[in-house]
Amino acid sequence: MKVTLFATCLVDMFQSDVGKATVELLERLGCEIDFPTTQICCGQPSYNSGYVKETKEVMKTMMKSFQDAEYIVCPSGSCAYMFHEYQHIFKGDPVWEPIAKELAAKTFELTQFIVDVLKVEDVGATFKGKVTYHTSCHMTRLLGVKEAPIKLLKNVKGVEYTELPLKENCCGFGGTFSVKMGQISEQMVDEKVACVESTNAEYVVSADAGCLMNIGGRIDRKGKPIKALHIAEILNSRA
């Protein structure tokens, strides 16, 4: 099966290990990986900031980049959902709406792809530690991926999983929200960190790079002995 990787900006610039783990994991599951070098940002930050006309040009570039893909897999629920949003943004456009609909139909978040398309719930990973999982807003509420990451985590040998209290609450990142509403965002992420601490987890895991950057950054500033990891890093672990 040929998979085209949509890496995302945050993975490309800040979390390259997540991209590496995603590729290695998918290859181990029998996928052939393709990576279009013309891919750029999905346009979510500028679109959410109101720059609709300008962002449409970015979106067109992305649709062209992934037009020949069989399956598109993304290690970020938020960015994967943005590809699904294109069909609504280009609704009524005789040229781009059909292309956007086709893009949405073949775009999957990483754990969603593994469970729903590859039909795998145990990837053969081994990772020792106490783990809790943060359910990111876009991935859970909009993309509708809820069970896949939990199924995969629970089947990792050595993982001691504890459900996160108030898991439905936002971590306070929200893309540009954390910049525009810094003080509110800080209070939200403080609540999230407190919930993580209450589980006695050694690791807080998520499938969204933005959430991990926000939660992990706050944990570091508070000097807490907890590590933020992307789920791909755990699923790719053979330790």
Side-chain angles (χ1 to χ4, degrees):
M1 183 178 292
K2 189 172 183 180
V3 170
T4 301
L5 178 65
F6 169 25
T8 81
C9 298
L10 290 180
V11 169
D12 183 42
M13 293 187 290
F14 301 113
Q15 299 178 358
S16 57
D17 284 348
V18 173
K20 180 181 177 182
T22 299
V23 170
E24 291 178 352
L25 173 62
L26 289 172
E27 286 182 337
R28 186 154 48 82
L29 293 174
C31 298
E32 177 188 349
I33 309 300
D34 175 50
F35 184 83
T37 57
T38 53
Q39 64 179 284
I40 51 175
C41 177
C42 66
Q44 186 173 167
S46 57
Y47 178 75
N48 289 345
S49 297
Y51 297 97
V52 178
K53 181 180 178 181
E54 295 84 352
T55 307
K56 279 186 173 182
E57 296 307 310
V58 173
M59 294 173 182
K60 289 175 184 178
T61 296
M62 290 297 269
M63 285 189 277
K64 291 175 185 176
S65 297
F66 289 92
Q67 193 164 6
D68 295 328
E70 181 180 350
Y71 291 99
I72 302 165
V73 176
C74 177
S76 168
S78 178
C79 296
Y81 173 73
M82 193 61 191
F83 268 16
H84 285 257
E85 187 68 11
Y86 283 14
Q87 61 189 314
H88 305 298
I89 296 169
F90 284 93
K91 186 174 182 179
D93 188 309
V95 175
W96 292 101
E97 184 182 7
I99 297 173
K101 285 183 175 179
E102 183 182 347
L103 183 81
K106 59 187 178 182
T107 298
F108 300 86
E109 179 274 330
L110 175 63
T111 65
Q112 178 190 32
F113 179 76
I114 293 172
V115 173
D116 295 346
V117 179
L118 297 182
K119 305 299 182 184
V120 174
E121 293 186 7
D122 186 342
V123 298
T126 300
F127 184 91
K128 298 188 183 301
K130 297 179 180 179
V131 169
T132 192
Y133 180 81
H134 164 67
T135 56
S136 61
C137 297
H138 277 81
M139 180 166 162
T140 305
R141 294 179 173 89
L142 300 178
L143 195 60
V145 179
K146 302 176 182 179
E147 301 298 328
I150 306 302
K151 287 179 180 178
L152 292 169
L153 273 180
K154 287 183 175 179
N155 282 320
V156 174
K157 185 179 179 181
V159 161
E160 183 181 335
Y161 173 77
T162 302
E163 187 171 290
L164 185 65
L166 303 177
K167 63 180 182 180
E168 67 279 359
N169 286 8
C170 178
C171 73
F173 180 64
T176 55
F177 172 83
S178 59
V179 177
K180 295 178 179 178
M181 303 291 182
Q183 291 181 324
I184 297 174
S185 175
E186 180 181 327
Q187 292 178 50
M188 293 170 72
V189 74
D190 278 346
E191 178 190 63
K192 183 64 66 175
V193 172
C195 288
V196 172
E197 283 188 285
S198 73
T199 68
N200 294 314
E202 300 167 275
Y203 303 91
V204 56
V205 180
S206 184
D208 261 300
C211 297
L212 285 171
M213 185 169 66
N214 193 43
I215 298 169
R218 194 60 178 161
I219 286 171
D220 288 344
R221 292 186 194 98
K222 286 177 166 287
K224 305 294 182 180
I226 305 166
K227 189 170 182 180
L229 287 178
H230 192 282
I231 194 168
E233 296 174 284
I234 288 186
L235 298 179
N236 190 50
S237 176
R238 311 286 281 182

